Amino acid sequence: PWPLSRCLRSTRPSRRKGSPPGSPCLGSSARRPAFNLENFDHFVATKWPKNVIRAKGVCYFTDEPDMCYLFEQAGQQKTIRQAGKFYATMPENELQRMLDTDPTLRRDWDETYGDRMQKIVFIGQNLDKEEITRLLDECLEYSF
């Protein structure tokens, strides 16, 4: 398992499309173990950093590892909804055809997780990369 700190990156504090001036962005994108839904819910409900203005991304959970979820946050509003199944759930022959014809899918494929990933981008003021990393790592469940 990889600590999230190896996956988060901080970008220069410049204006990004749709973000306030000077808002830095922290993003995570990695083939990682699934989140524990209760832990993620607890993080979102009680530990959410107040200086996060916007967050958006995909994630998955141990109780439903084949389902991709879209997580979005803007201000006080936070939503999560199903976004469909991962390619890794396809029948083997169909999946192999996809991998053979889609170089991007092949390049990003992980032997353990397939195309499953935790990929969330945080936009806000004075984001604490280490703290967000620690909080998200607490949501992981290493039982894939």
Side-chain angles (χ1 to χ4, degrees):
W2 314 285
L4 192 58
S5 60
R6 290 180 56 192
C7 307
L8 281 176
R9 59 183 161 68
S10 181
T11 60
R12 62 180 182 237
S14 62
R15 183 170 171 80
R16 294 174 56 98
K17 184 178 179 183
S19 66
S23 295
C25 172
L26 295 176
S28 68
S29 177
R31 306 295 180 214
R32 314 199 46 195
F35 285 143
N36 173 291
L37 181 57
E38 289 179 23
N39 293 351
F40 187 75
D41 184 56
H42 180 71
F43 161 64
V44 170
T46 66
K47 298 180 178 183
W48 192 259
K50 295 189 185 325
N51 54 343
V52 172
I53 298 167
R54 178 98 166 92
K56 185 174 183 177
V58 295
C59 56
Y60 72 108
F61 301 97
T62 51
D63 62 332
E64 226 179 340
D66 293 341
M67 183 59 64
C68 177
Y69 283 86
L70 176 64
F71 173 78
E72 296 182 89
Q73 173 269 331
Q76 297 289 43
Q77 184 176 352
K78 299 173 185 89
T79 60
I80 192 162
R81 61 186 165 88
Q82 290 182 344
K85 291 191 173 187
F86 289 101
Y87 286 115
T89 64
M90 296 173 79
E92 185 63 35
N93 62 333
E94 291 178 41
L95 175 59
Q96 192 56 54
R97 266 184 284 173
M98 289 289 296
L99 289 168
D100 291 343
T101 59
D102 186 340
T104 302
L105 181 61
R106 169 67 72 190
R107 182 192 70 224
D108 294 340
W109 193 261
D110 181 270
E111 288 305 314
T112 302
Y113 301 107
D115 60 324
R116 293 173 184 89
M117 71 173 71
Q118 310 294 6
K119 182 178 184 179
I120 302 175
V121 174
F122 298 85
I123 300 171
Q125 296 293 325
N126 303 311
L127 297 178
D128 184 339
K129 176 181 174 180
E130 288 75 28
E131 179 65 5
I132 292 173
T133 297
R134 186 186 65 74
L135 292 168
L136 287 173
D137 279 347
E138 289 177 359
C139 298
L140 295 173
E141 191 165 298
Y142 295 96
S143 62
F144 190 80

